Amino acid sequence: MIPITKPFLPPVEEYSNYLSGIWQRQWLTNMGPLASKLELKLKTHLQVKHLLFVTNGTIALQMAIKALDLKGEIITTPFSFIATTSSIVWEGCKTVFVDIDKDSLNIDATKIEASITNKTSAILATHVYGNPCDVLAIEKIAKKHNLKVIYDGAHAFGVKINGKSIFEYGDISTCSLHATKLYHSSEGGLIVTQNSELLKKLASIRNFGFKDSVSFSELGINGKNSEFHAAMGLTNLDYIDRIHEKRKLLTECYDKNLKKFRAYKPVWSKNATINFAYYPIVLESEELLLKCMDDLKRKEIFVRRYFYPSLASTLPYLNKEYFEITDDVSKRVMCLPLYYDLTLEEVEYICHTILKVQNN
Ligand SMILES: *Cc1c(COP(=O)(O)O)cnc(C)c1O
């Protein structure tokens, strides 16, 4: 059996070493020493100014919307994971979807301005598969119309663009450290901002809005994460280079073997590094995709239609809307298995299988 993904697990002894410290200190959560250490290490690793370790990537998005005090309409992409949309709705704002660019699969920056109204307060865009959005174009639009920018960087851990972290763009960037992501702490999320006032506000929001033990500075939530999760994050961080190398090797193997397969890969942003978070391909047709999936499933190989369907066309709490590129791409896109334990032989086998389906 080849699953679509497998969480990376470090040697159990290394994780256990952290556990004995937790037992000694009897400090399990509430911004303990391991959580603080992880924040420091990640700040250095990612080369960002400020960063908060939070419960998960979804809470990170919701806290970002809350901290920026967003109201009214938020422009966003229909081609993302559900949390990008649900966090907007959960925070009482209205989603305004803008179609994606068929090459990058990110929100099409050239179509954003046409959707701006006097109620628009922000743009919330996803760096899909870790591929940076057109951050400079979005920055320009946001400045011109006085909008805030949040980036859902759940896929973008470690990506750099123009020599700096992708998380340093926008007012706030978020990341997910969920077990299925490239780098994880079992459950977890990150909030990155350049603005130290905003950082203070976010830190307070993370801790119920406490100002001190008896007073509150604003409406908060429990966005903290535990020492156990921090320990997993710390242990895994020592393996990040190896994880990266292995995923690069697997990706190159897919590339080499799929040259004749009738599909394209998203076109990567110029001046950006690649983190090999996923192996997405957009197939020639949905028919070919379904045939491939069928055949792979028979061989116990699992791929994922990521993202399918479009967020704008399926949610019970939103009016259905259709978008030319998003609807077309989401029907034809799939992610192939990519994880640390996957072998080159397995990649070759997967490629061989789908090529055979195509050529039959
Ligand atoms: C995983 C993911 C999230 C949510 O992160 P969690 O840590 O699972 O809450 C948000 N946005 C995108 C694009 C994701 O892939």
Side-chain angles (χ1 to χ4, degrees):
M1 206 266 283
I2 305 177
I4 170 73
T5 188
K6 251 192 215 178
F8 174 81
L9 279 169
V12 67
E13 311 78 55
E14 293 179 23
Y15 184 69
S16 308
N17 286 342
Y18 282 110
L19 293 187
S20 35
I22 297 176
W23 254 254
Q24 273 162 25
R25 289 186 294 274
Q26 302 185 16
W27 188 351
L28 310 189
T29 185
N30 285 4
M31 285 78 79
L34 296 182
S36 301
K37 187 170 169 183
L38 181 64
E39 286 183 340
L40 274 176
K41 280 203 154 183
L42 284 175
K43 255 198 292 197
T44 309
H45 178 80
L46 296 168
Q47 291 181 293
V48 297
K49 195 165 162 203
H50 303 300
L51 162 152
L52 293 174
F53 178 47
V54 299
T55 321
N56 56 56
T58 306
I59 281 289
L61 284 168
Q62 292 181 202
M63 287 171 58
I65 295 168
K66 188 69 83 191
L68 292 169
D69 204 17
L70 301 182
K71 302 276 187 294
E73 299 172 356
I74 298 180
I75 290 177
T76 190
T77 172
F79 190 72
S80 185
F81 182 63
I82 179 67
T84 317
T85 289
S86 67
S87 58
I88 295 173
V89 177
W90 196 273
E91 293 304 326
C93 296
K94 184 172 183 287
T95 50
V96 174
F97 292 111
V98 167
D99 207 358
I100 57 169
D101 172 77
K102 77 172 194 326
D103 296 325
S104 71
L105 309 190
N106 286 323
I107 195 166
D108 187 340
T110 65
K111 291 184 181 153
I112 290 178
E113 275 197 292
S115 297
I116 294 174
T117 72
N118 57 5
K119 295 198 186 96
T120 310
S121 60
I123 300 165
L124 199 180
T126 302
H127 302 302
V128 176
Y129 311 124
N131 183 21
C133 292
D134 191 344
V135 286
L136 299 180
I138 291 173
E139 195 171 284
K140 223 170 163 181
I141 296 164
K143 270 213 182 103
K144 183 170 159 199
H145 297 271
N146 198 21
L147 305 177
K148 301 291 184 193
V149 178
I150 300 173
Y151 285 113
D152 180 344
H155 300 171
F157 187 89
V159 171
K160 290 216 163 115
I161 180 164
N162 307 320
K164 69 176 188 179
S165 169
I166 187 65
F167 294 149
E168 300 262 87
Y169 288 85
D171 294 280
I172 298 178
S173 290
T174 64
C175 187
S176 166
L177 306 187
H178 183 259
T180 55
K181 302 297 204 271
L182 170 76
Y183 162 75
H184 77 88
S185 62
S186 323
E187 287 274 7
L190 299 175
I191 300 184
V192 179
T193 179
Q194 314 258 78
N195 179 327
S196 44
E197 282 307 306
L198 205 47
L199 177 84
K200 258 195 238 158
K201 191 168 177 187
L202 283 160
S204 160
I205 288 175
R206 174 173 69 172
N207 191 31
F208 308 99
F210 271 117
K211 192 175 175 189
D212 50 52
S213 64
V214 290
S215 63
F216 299 90
S217 49
E218 58 240 297
L219 177 64
I221 198 165
N222 183 355
K224 294 176 275 100
N225 210 331
S226 82
E227 291 291 279
F228 298 91
H229 294 86
M232 183 61 96
L234 284 166
T235 319
N236 286 346
L237 196 55
D238 288 338
Y239 289 87
I240 194 71
D241 290 342
R242 262 171 277 186
I243 292 170
H244 186 85
E245 268 314 299
K246 180 65 187 286
R247 284 172 170 269
K248 180 165 186 270
L249 216 62
L250 295 165
T251 297
E252 286 165 356
C253 186
Y254 271 126
D255 285 348
K256 190 176 100 209
N257 284 283
L258 289 179
K259 276 202 183 107
K260 295 217 166 79
F261 191 60
R262 291 197 290 270
Y264 73 88
K265 295 208 322 176
V267 177
W268 210 262
S269 164
K270 276 195 218 97
N271 306 322
T273 61
I274 305 178
N275 66 355
F276 308 103
Y278 298 91
Y279 195 87
I281 45 174
V282 183
L283 283 71
E284 181 185 69
S285 67
E286 187 178 24
E287 188 194 351
L288 178 60
L289 178 139
L290 294 172
K291 275 191 190 156
C292 287
M293 283 185 76
D294 241 27
D295 208 56
L296 289 166
K297 204 167 152 193
R298 238 175 283 133
K299 298 183 161 80
E300 297 207 298
I301 300 168
F302 299 93
V303 299
R304 186 165 174 205
R305 301 186 76 176
Y306 198 61
F307 303 104
Y308 172 84
S310 152
L311 290 169
S313 69
T314 40
L315 301 176
Y317 45 85
L318 292 180
N319 294 328
K320 294 184 188 3
E321 278 182 278
Y322 299 93
F323 292 94
E324 192 188 338
I325 313 289
T326 302
D327 290 310
D328 174 43
V329 164
S330 59
K331 282 192 191 102
R332 299 188 285 127
V333 70
M334 68 178 175
C335 286
L336 297 175
L338 189 64
Y339 49 90
Y340 185 77
D341 286 339
L342 191 69
T343 67
L344 293 174
E345 291 70 31
E346 285 171 323
V347 168
E348 279 169 2
Y349 181 58
I350 293 165
C351 294
H352 177 77
T353 305
I354 61 176
L355 276 166
K356 230 167 106 185
V357 173
Q358 169 185 281
N359 299 331
N360 263 341

